[in-house]
Every structure is written in structure tokens, then in C-alpha cells.
């Protein structure tokens, strides 16, 4: 079965503190994983993808096949990072499977 | 501005009525998708189309139908709306292959 799990529905951190949004996946093949972000009153947009291995807005995510995880991390959270974050898996047949999302609040 | 356009932005619909949510993209993307976003459930795939002329069922297809007559348009139809179809609906597209999704602004539908 193809599935994405985001265990935290809500996450609050103080400004300047490190933040980690958890994502675990279930997929029998070689996974393609993404993080999408939805800021208030905006459309969902791509934040980063694992094959790019890049840092976007200070966020990074490393694919750990052994733990089947793709956690999103940022060393110093900013107020503008407050948003809904979705982890997504591209599975068979070009279908994208999303987790239930984590709402991040950065407290000033 | 290139991208995906969804219409209407919001709609209140009486149960039992039919409605078509429109989605148009001008990026010449091959694949298009319809998702519904519900609190606590995230985004769930309703239907998808890998290329014009083909469609497929996603995780929650019941009560919905789609068509893909051309590359640009991917309408979603509710034949007889029920209150459980109250949701925010997102259309998305991607170039076939390993490209990420581009999303529309969403349609907020309330079925009373």
C-alpha cells in the first residue's frame, strides 16, 4: 500500500527555535517525495523535493530509506514559516499521495 | 499569468443538485488531478488524468465524475450532491514523469 503519515496535526515552536515536521511513508518501489506548503489564503505550492537535495527558505529534508522517513527541518524558525505543511509521495501511475498535514505555528 | 484557474471560488449547493467545478491550465501539462481537502484528512485524490482522453479513479471517486476532452480542461462533476461532499476542492497539474504538482486556488463547496 502507498501511504504517507504525518503524525503531528499541530506543531508550535518559538521563533529562532529548531523545527522538525515528521513524515513517514509506505511504498514498495523507489519513492519520490515532496514537501508542499500552504500559507494563509494562498494556494498549495512546492517547497522542496528529495531528488533536488536543496534548501528552500532554510528548510531541508533528507530521505531515509531505512526508516522510510522524509522529515522536514529548519534550524531557526521564523514567523513567516507559519503555514500548513503536507508531505507527498509520488506513487504508481503518476498519482500523488498526501499526508494529513501539519499546521506549524511559530510563536514570536 | 500562466497557471491553473479554478471556478467558481466558492459555491453553496443544495443537496441533490448537480454541479461542475471547472479547471483550466495553460501550461500544456499532460497530467491533471482533482483533490479534496478536509480538516484532519489532508488532501485525497478524487480522479486524475495522465493525458488528454484518459482518466482514472483516485482514493475517493464515488459521487464524482471527470472528463478530459483536451489538454487544458479537466472539469469535475457532482451528479447529485450530498452534504459529505462539502469540502475544498483543488485542481492540480504536472508535466508527466517526475515533475511536481502545480495547484489552483481551490473551490470551497458547501452542500446544504
Amino acid at each position: 500500500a502507498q501511504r504517507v503519515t504525518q503524525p503531528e496535526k499541530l506543531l508550535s515552536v518559538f521563533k529562532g527555535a529548531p523545527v522538525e515536521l515528521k513524515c513517514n511513508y509506505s511504498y514498495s518501489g523507489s519513492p519520490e517525495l515532496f514537501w508542499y506548503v500552504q500559507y494563509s489564503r494562498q494556494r498549495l505550492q512546492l517547497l522542496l523535493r528529495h531528488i533536488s537535495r536543496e534548501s528552500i527558505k532554510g528548510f531541508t529534508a533528507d530521505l531515509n530509506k531505512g526508516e522510510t522517513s522524509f522529515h522536514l527541518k529548519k534550524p531557526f524558525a521564523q514567523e513567516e514559516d507559519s503555514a500548513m505543511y503536507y508531505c507527498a509521495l509520488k506513487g504508481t501511475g503518476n498519482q500523488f499521495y498526501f499526508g494529513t498535514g501539519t499546521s506549524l505555528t511559530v510563536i514570536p | 499569468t500562466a497557471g491553473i484557474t479554478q471556478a467558481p471560488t466558492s459555491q453553496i449547493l443544495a443537496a441533490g443538485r448537480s454541479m461542475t467545478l471547472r479547471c483550466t491550465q495553460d501550461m500544456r501539462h499532460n497530467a491533471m488531478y482533482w483533490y479534496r481537502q478536509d480538516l484532519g484528512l489532508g488532501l485525497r485524490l478524487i480522479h486524475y488524468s495522465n493525458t488528454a482522453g484518459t482518466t482514472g479513479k483516485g482514493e475517493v471517486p464515488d459521487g464524482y465524475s471527470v472528463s478530459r476532452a483536451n489538454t487544458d480542461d479537466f472539469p469535475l462533476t457532482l451528479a447529485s450532491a450530498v452534504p459529505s461532499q462539502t469540502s475544498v476542492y483543488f485542481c492540480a497539474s504536472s508535466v508527466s514523469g517526475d515533475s511536481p504538482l502545480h495547484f489552483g486556488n481551490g473551490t470551497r463547496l458547501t452542500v446544504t
Side-chain angles (χ1 to χ4, degrees):
Chain A
Q2 299 164 92
R3 188 172 60 247
V4 175
T5 303
Q6 292 179 252
E8 305 140 329
K9 290 188 177 179
L10 301 171
L11 184 63
S12 296
V13 300
F14 285 101
K15 177 182 174 181
V19 61
E20 180 180 66
L21 289 81
K22 292 183 167 52
C23 172
N24 289 91
Y25 66 90
S26 174
Y27 185 58
S28 58
S30 185
E32 293 181 58
L33 288 152
F34 305 80
W35 275 99
Y36 285 83
V37 60
Q38 187 178 27
Y39 300 104
S40 180
R41 299 193 184 88
Q42 294 187 27
R43 66 180 69 192
L44 275 143
Q45 57 187 283
L46 177 69
L47 180 61
L48 53 80
R49 53 193 298 193
H50 88 272
I51 63 172
S52 299
R53 301 187 65 81
E54 57 190 345
S55 174
I56 303 293
K57 299 184 179 182
F59 284 97
T60 59
D62 292 319
L63 176 62
N64 186 323
K65 291 187 178 181
E67 296 182 357
T68 60
S69 68
F70 188 56
H71 302 327
L72 183 68
K73 301 176 183 179
K74 185 169 182 177
F76 307 104
Q78 303 300 314
E79 290 179 64
E80 56 266 28
D81 296 329
S82 294
M84 179 70 82
Y85 291 81
Y86 290 96
C87 183
L89 165 72
K90 183 172 179 292
T92 55
N94 266 357
Q95 295 188 46
F96 286 76
Y97 296 87
F98 284 80
T100 51
T102 297
S103 177
L104 174 65
T105 300
V106 180
I107 304 165
Chain B
T1 303
I4 297 180
T5 303
Q6 289 186 239
T9 302
S10 65
Q11 182 74 45
I12 298 173
L13 185 67
R17 300 296 294 269
S18 66
M19 180 177 181
T20 296
L21 282 63
R22 300 185 297 279
C23 176
T24 300
Q25 54 104 357
D26 59 4
M27 298 176 285
R28 308 303 294 172
H29 284 176
N30 288 316
M32 296 188 75
Y33 310 80
W34 274 106
Y35 288 88
R36 58 177 291 174
Q37 182 186 41
D38 301 288
L39 195 63
L41 297 175
L43 283 89
R44 293 180 292 168
L45 181 65
I46 305 171
H47 285 286
Y48 66 96
S49 169
N50 284 332
T51 188
T54 69
T55 62
K57 294 181 179 180
E59 303 168 79
V60 289
D62 294 343
Y64 306 95
S65 64
V66 291
S67 61
R68 188 85 184 278
N70 56 61
T71 297
D72 299 344
D73 302 299
F74 191 45
L76 176 73
T77 298
L78 288 69
S80 179
V82 295
S84 62
Q85 291 178 309
T86 294
S87 185
V88 180
Y89 291 85
F90 286 98
C91 181
S93 71
S94 73
V95 178
S96 59
D98 63 353
S99 298
L101 295 173
H102 295 258
F103 283 88
N105 276 330
T107 294
R108 183 175 295 276
L109 177 66
T110 302
V111 182
T112 61

